[in-house]
Amino acid sequence: MATLLHIDSSVFYGEASSSRSVTAAFRKTWEERHPEGTVIYHDLAANPVPHITADAWSAGNAAPNEHTPDQTAAFAARVKLIEELEQADAVLIGAPMYNFSIPSTLKAWLDSVLLLGRTAGATPSAQGVPAVVIASRGGSYAPGTPREGYEFVQNYLEAVLTGTLGLDLHFIVPELTMAPRNPAMSELVPLYEASRRKAFEDAITKATELADRVAA
């Protein structure tokens, strides 16, 4: 059966969160294609992964028989998250831009699953697994825009998810999400609406494509 690893990190819920709305559309389409499949879900806002500790970090660089009790417990939590990534046929991540970067809760999850010699290194254990990131943002940071240089979501996740974990990465970018709520951005509402429509269309298309690829 197909397994989808779905991670949301927005602090907002429902229609207030563009990333959650789009990941929900992707997941709905995926589940329609794989009704008997498994979805592993993490809501990092409601149930955050602990930030990496010295015990959790150092245990990854020591033999299991050398672990202290605290290292054993901390590393077991990391291994659980790593195994979820390794068993996934596809990964779906909601990554809104907060202060030009990803939420700290998502960074904490990444710190846990990055393990040199297993998920990272010459042959990453999840290499080639498709990953779709919904990278929503209140403004626009696209090439040619005034704030292009402040884009630290896609470039960071590209380095981590593709360059380190070896995932087959795809971005869907709903932008200008603050336009309907910020009077100073009112003239950008049509562009926001077009971006939102495209994000939903792309999510459904990509979910269908990946679900069918897994089933093939």
Side-chain angles (χ1 to χ4, degrees):
M1 294 188 295
T3 298
L4 174 68
L5 175 58
H6 175 189
I7 296 167
D8 278 324
S9 60
S10 174
V11 298
F12 300 103
Y13 289 85
E15 288 297 311
S17 170
S18 291
S19 65
R20 286 182 186 271
S21 297
V22 179
T23 60
F26 181 105
R27 176 171 169 173
K28 181 176 183 293
T29 301
W30 174 278
E31 290 180 317
E32 288 171 350
R33 294 301 232 229
H34 292 287
E36 304 301 321
T38 299
V39 176
I40 302 170
Y41 181 59
H42 287 286
D43 182 340
L44 298 181
N47 298 292
V49 170
H51 287 283
I52 200 78
T53 63
D55 285 326
W57 185 272
S58 59
N61 300 307
N65 63 350
E66 298 175 352
H67 289 178
T68 66
D70 287 340
Q71 284 179 317
T72 297
F75 193 59
R78 288 187 68 187
V79 169
K80 181 177 183 296
L81 297 173
I82 288 169
E83 289 175 344
E84 291 175 349
L85 174 63
E86 291 172 337
Q87 74 185 76
D89 294 295
V91 180
L92 172 65
I93 300 174
M97 178 186 281
Y98 292 161
N99 299 316
F100 312 119
S101 188
I102 62 174
S104 64
T105 52
L106 181 55
K107 178 64 163 59
W109 178 80
L110 288 167
D111 285 341
S112 285
V113 300
L114 282 164
L115 180 60
L116 188 62
R118 183 165 176 175
T119 59
T123 55
S125 55
Q127 186 167 13
V129 172
V132 177
V133 172
I134 312 303
S136 59
R137 61 275 317 275
S140 179
Y141 301 81
T145 62
R147 289 202 163 186
E148 174 184 357
Y150 290 82
E151 211 309 319
F152 301 112
V153 171
Q154 288 178 261
N155 52 9
Y156 169 71
L157 291 178
E158 179 77 38
V160 174
L161 297 178
T162 298
T164 305
L165 294 176
L167 304 183
D168 178 16
L169 182 60
H170 310 269
F171 283 108
I172 295 174
V173 185
E175 62 178 8
L176 301 168
T177 62
M178 287 298 296
R181 296 186 289 277
N182 185 346
M185 298 175 66
S186 59
E187 65 180 21
L188 299 175
V189 168
L191 292 177
Y192 151 75
E193 292 174 341
S195 176
R196 180 177 172 82
R197 284 194 302 271
K198 186 177 187 304
F200 279 105
E201 291 168 359
D202 288 349
I204 292 169
T205 298
K206 185 56 68 175
T208 301
E209 173 194 326
L210 294 182
D212 289 351
R213 182 195 304 178
V214 168

